[in-house]
């Protein structure tokens, strides 16, 4: 067996993986039995230290997207990938903390569909609940495909067997209570991932001769590239701006606009401000001030995450034989899903530079991230399906037990469906392209409707659902047109364009429809629209009494300054 | 630090073993010890790492981080208030759970 698998793990590696899951399941069991009121104290989230909720906040997202997607992107495109962090995530997290969070916290909504229902009524609620459920199933498929890739790399099984096994593993993880102590697990996961990716990056840099060695090798590979290579030129890979390789636009000006508006504003703000899997982490804290600081504190570590996910991807592209061949236009065999793709960048680098032991730590971190990620998707699906769809539209007024049973069936059903949606994800050789496409379909129109509905009280219920439907359809239309060859954009340009079109179409249609239909009476909009929400509902009376380093605005200012410096430095 | 005391025994009640910092510390220290031992006694595989004993150094670093978390939890313990609310289940993450509170 041993020699024909991608990664040769030994008992030592499996021991480290087993220890991690022992910890996670042990915490789950303790949490459910509530062996100590300390556990209740931590789980209820009251007065949890801000660094804990901040780390949980970014860890809930440090899954497939971050680790595999960003390293794949780093391997393929190089430094422009940093925009996802420094133009995308960090400013969006600051915006969430400064502008949106007081409002979420004050209005006490628990989920996106719930906000839609209260703001716009049934139509928008139904559209949003269905599209949210579909999005969760598709993203669960991405996590499952990556998880199966690791199973396959370790054990050498065919991909469909690996998919089924990975699905079964996730189901048992959910059933055994792997999610019941989510905050504990997320913080643990963060440390395990950093503990494995940081050595990977340092050893990788050591192998290529430091940062200078890396840039030299990228330039050399680019200069000697064969004609079938579609890798971008070295100067584009080694400078973050203007990022033509990422946006696919030839003109630097259009590229910058595409990145700032498409990636930065629409996709990232849309993702971070409407993704309640993450926003929930902040809502658990004890005051508006703490809720606002959660994403802002999270932004500090988030700024440095790209160094341990994108840089290893870039190293992999010049160090690992298969990746070099792939980037030179070849199609080497032997990746996690059959042929080598950019998604394998990190796994292959781990194989080449990590000794047994550290390898196990890295595997534990990856398994943890994908499993927790998929489990969170499935649970989010489960909630929306049982309560927002089944209870509201299909079978009302049954017992709690009944809905719990439906929820369990939904969990199993979602896992089975994810095995099929994973097939779609496997069709993309850079999983980041697929994820950004999905975010364009689902998050961009949602963000448009959300932000217009929050700040414009005239927006009507009809406009709510019309905007969502039209936004999603126009994003799909742009994507299909690109797939059919109507126009050509490489990198993630199509996803940025689709997201931007969806956003604009949603806003324009919502305004037009609002002007010809009847708005909700203003008194029903308290807590849902900015101008109708009294100031005391969205400010924290104690905020002014804290020292400056515990107040929202100064922290956000420091984070913003740091991220601007980083943008200029690279 | 706050000196809230629980009413039964007059001493502040600490989160102790369940303090998240102790759990992080335990995992990191355990990994650190195992990796350091693997680095000392196992195969070194310098051809992969470019000559560095990566297991040993990572192990030592993790052990230091783990001890750091223990020390932090020891020096500034979290005091659990005398009566703690039972947490609500996280509605986005139901899985096996305490029963949902009634909807109305």
């Amino acid at each position: 067996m041993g020699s024909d698998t991608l990664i040769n793990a030994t008992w030592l590696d499996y021991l480290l993986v087993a220890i991690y899951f022992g910890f996670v399941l042990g915490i789950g069991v303790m949490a459910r039995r509530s062996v100590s009121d300390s556990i209740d104290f931590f789980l209820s989230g009251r007065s949890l230290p801000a660094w804990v909720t901040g780390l949980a906040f970014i860890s809930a997202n440090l899954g497939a997207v971050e680790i595999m997607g960003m390293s794949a992107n780093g391997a393929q495109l190089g430094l422009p990938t940093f925009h996802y962090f420094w133009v995308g995530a960090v400013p969006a997290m600051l915006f969430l903390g400064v502008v949106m969070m007081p409002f979420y916290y004050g209005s006490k909504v628990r989920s996106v569909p719930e906000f839609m229902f209260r703001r716009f009524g049934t139509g928008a609620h139904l559209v949003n609940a269905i599209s949210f459920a579909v999005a969760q199933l598709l993203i669960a498929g991405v996590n499952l495909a990556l998880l199966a890739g690791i199973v396959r790399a370790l054990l050498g099984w065919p991909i469909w067997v690996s998919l089924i096994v990975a699905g079964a593993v996730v189901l048992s993880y959910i059933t055994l209570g792997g999610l019941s102590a989510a905050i504990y697990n997320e913080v643990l996961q963060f440390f395990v991932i950093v503990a494995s990716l940081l050595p990977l990056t340092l050893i990788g840099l050591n192998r290529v001769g430091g940062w200078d060695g890396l840039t030299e090798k990228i330039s050399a590979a680019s200069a000697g590239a064969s004609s079938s290579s579609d890798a971008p030129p070295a100067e584009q890979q080694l400078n973050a701006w203007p990022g033509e390789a990422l946006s696919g636009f030839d003109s630097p000006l259009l590229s910058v606009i595409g990145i700032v508006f498409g990636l930065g504003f629409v996709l990232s703000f849309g993702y971070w401000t409407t993704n309640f899997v993450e926003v929930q982490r902040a809502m658990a804290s004890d005051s508006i001030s703490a809720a606002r600081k959660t994403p802002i504190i999270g932004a500090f570590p988030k700024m440095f995450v790209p160094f341990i996910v994108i840089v290893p991807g870039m190293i992999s592209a010049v160090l690992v034989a298969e990746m070099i061949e792939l980037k030179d236009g070849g199609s080497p065999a032997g990746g996690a899903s059959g042929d080598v793709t950019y998604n394998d960048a990190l796994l292959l680098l781990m194989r080449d530079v990590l000794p047994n032991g550290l390898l196990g730590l890295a595997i534990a971190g990856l398994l943890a991230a994908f499993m927790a990620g998929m489990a969170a998707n499935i649970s989010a699906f489960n909630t929306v399906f049982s309560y927002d769809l089944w209870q509201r539209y299909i079978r009302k007024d049954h017992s709690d037990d009944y809905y719990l049973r439906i929820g369990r069936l939904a969990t199993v059903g979602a896992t089975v469906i994810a095995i099929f949606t994973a097939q779609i994800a496997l069709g993309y050789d850079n999983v980041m392209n697929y994820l950004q496409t999905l975010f364009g379909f689902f998050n961009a129109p949602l963000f448009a409707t959300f932000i217009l509905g929050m700040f414009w009280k005239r927006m009507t219920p009809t406009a709510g659902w019309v905007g969502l439907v039209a936004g999603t359809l126009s994003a799909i239309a742009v994507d299909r047109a690109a797939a059919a060859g109507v126009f050509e954009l490489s990198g993630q340009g199509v996803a940025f364009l689709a997201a931007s079109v969806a956003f604009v179409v949603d806003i324009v249609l919502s305004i037009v429809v609002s002007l010809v239909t009847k708005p909700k009476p203003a008194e029903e909009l308290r807590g849902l629209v900015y101008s109708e929400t009294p100031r005391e509902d969205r400010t924290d009376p104690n905020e002014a009494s804290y020292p400056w380093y515990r107040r929202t605005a100064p922290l956000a200012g420091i984070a913003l300054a740091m991220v601007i410096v980083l943008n200029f430095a690279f | 630090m706050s000196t809230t005391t629980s009413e039964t025994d007059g001493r502040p009640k600490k989160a102790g073993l369940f303090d998240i910092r102790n759990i992080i510390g335990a995992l990191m220290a355990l990994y650190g010890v195992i990796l350091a031992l693997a680095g000392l006694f196992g195969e070194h595989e310098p051809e992969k790492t470019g000559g560095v004993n990566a297991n040993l150094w990572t192990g030592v670093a993790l052990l230091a981080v783990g001890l750091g978390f223990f020390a932090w939890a020891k020096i500034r313990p979290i005091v659990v208030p005398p009566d703690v609310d039972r947490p609500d289940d996280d509605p986005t993450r139901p899985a096996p759970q305490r029963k949902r509170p009634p909807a109305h």
Side-chain angles (χ1 to χ4, degrees), chain A residues 22-47:
Chain A
F23 262 75
V24 168
L25 295 180
I27 295 169
V29 169
M30 289 193 313
R32 268 182 302 155
R33 294 209 187 126
S34 267
V35 287
S36 153
D37 52 1
S38 317
I39 287 257
D40 278 348
F41 173 70
F42 269 109
L43 290 186
S44 65
R46 299 283 157 69
S47 58

Side-chain angles (χ1 to χ4, degrees), chain A residues 73 77 84 245-247 430 432-433 436 490-496:
Chain A
N73 235 9
L77 305 173
Y84 277 106
L246 180 70
S247 64
N430 179 342
M432 201 69 212
N433 295 344
Q436 294 304 328
S490 65
Q492 270 107 51
V494 177
F496 299 169

Side-chain angles (χ1 to χ4, degrees), chain A residues 16 46 184 186 207 383, chain B residues 18 31 48 55 85 91 93:
Chain A
L16 292 172
R46 299 283 157 69
Y184 269 82
E186 280 158 0
R207 281 282 300 274
T383 312
Chain B
F18 301 104
Y31 274 162
K48 279 189 175 175
N55 276 342
D85 292 340
R93 307 192 153 186

Side-chain angles (χ1 to χ4, degrees), chain A residues 16 20 30-31 34 37 46 51 174 182 184 186 206-207 280-281 354 356 358 361 379 383 387 404, chain B residues 13 18 23 31 34-35 45 48-49 52 54-55 69 72 85-87 90-93 96-98 100:
Chain A
L16 292 172
Y20 180 76
M30 289 193 313
S34 267
D37 52 1
R46 299 283 157 69
W51 66 269
I174 298 177
Y184 269 82
E186 280 158 0
N206 185 30
R207 281 282 300 274
Q280 281 257 329
R281 297 283 151 274
L354 290 186
N356 288 107
L358 264 182
L361 190 60
S379 293
T383 312
Y387 295 99
L404 273 187
Chain B
K13 195 169 169 346
F18 301 104
I23 294 180
Y31 274 162
I34 294 174
L35 283 178
E45 302 185 77
K48 279 189 175 175
T49 60
V52 184
N55 276 342
F69 271 102
W72 183 13
D85 292 340
R86 296 272 293 181
D90 179 341
T92 61
R93 307 192 153 186
Q97 58 185 339
R98 304 182 183 97
R100 259 178 107 87

Side-chain angles (χ1 to χ4, degrees), chain A residues 327-357:
Chain A
K327 208 165 172 179
D328 202 29
S331 47
S337 57
D339 285 335
V340 170
T341 62
Y342 285 110
N343 300 331
D344 300 315
L346 203 63
L347 274 180
L348 290 173
L349 185 67
M350 281 163 46
R351 177 199 68 183
D352 281 5
V353 308
L354 290 186
N356 288 107

Side-chain angles (χ1 to χ4, degrees), chain A residues 78-233:
Chain A
L79 280 179
T81 310
F82 277 62
H83 292 314
Y84 277 106
F85 294 84
W86 296 341
V87 177
V90 170
M93 288 164 80
L94 300 179
F95 178 77
L96 173 65
V98 173
V99 180
M100 307 282 272
M101 191 57 82
F103 195 72
Y104 282 143
Y105 197 91
S107 69
K108 306 221 165 29
V109 287
R110 287 281 155 82
S111 70
V112 180
E114 189 187 334
F115 181 90
M116 286 294 154
F117 187 76
R118 287 179 46 198
R119 176 65 181 83
F120 298 115
T122 311
H125 174 265
L126 183 62
V127 170
N128 178 238
I130 291 173
S131 92
F132 183 81
V134 171
Q136 293 304 317
L137 289 177
L138 292 172
I139 297 171
V142 176
N143 278 308
L144 185 64
L146 293 169
L147 193 58
I150 296 180
V151 172
R152 189 183 140 94
L154 281 174
L155 302 171
W157 295 341
I159 192 68
W160 61 271
V161 180
S162 303
L163 277 175
I164 293 171
V165 170
V169 170
V170 172
L171 256 189
S172 45
Y173 174 82
I174 298 177
T175 320
L176 287 170
L179 283 179
S180 41
I183 291 202
Y184 269 82
N185 290 342
E186 280 158 0
V187 176
L188 268 188
Q189 188 185 314
F190 178 82
F191 283 99
V192 172
I193 288 172
V194 173
S196 56
L197 291 185
L198 188 60
L200 179 69
T201 311
L202 294 176
I203 299 169
L205 278 177
N206 185 30
R207 281 282 300 274
V208 295
W211 184 255
D212 293 335
L214 177 63
T215 54
E216 268 166 38
K217 282 202 166 64
I218 288 178
S219 309
S222 180
S226 72
S227 55
S228 57
S229 162
D230 54 4

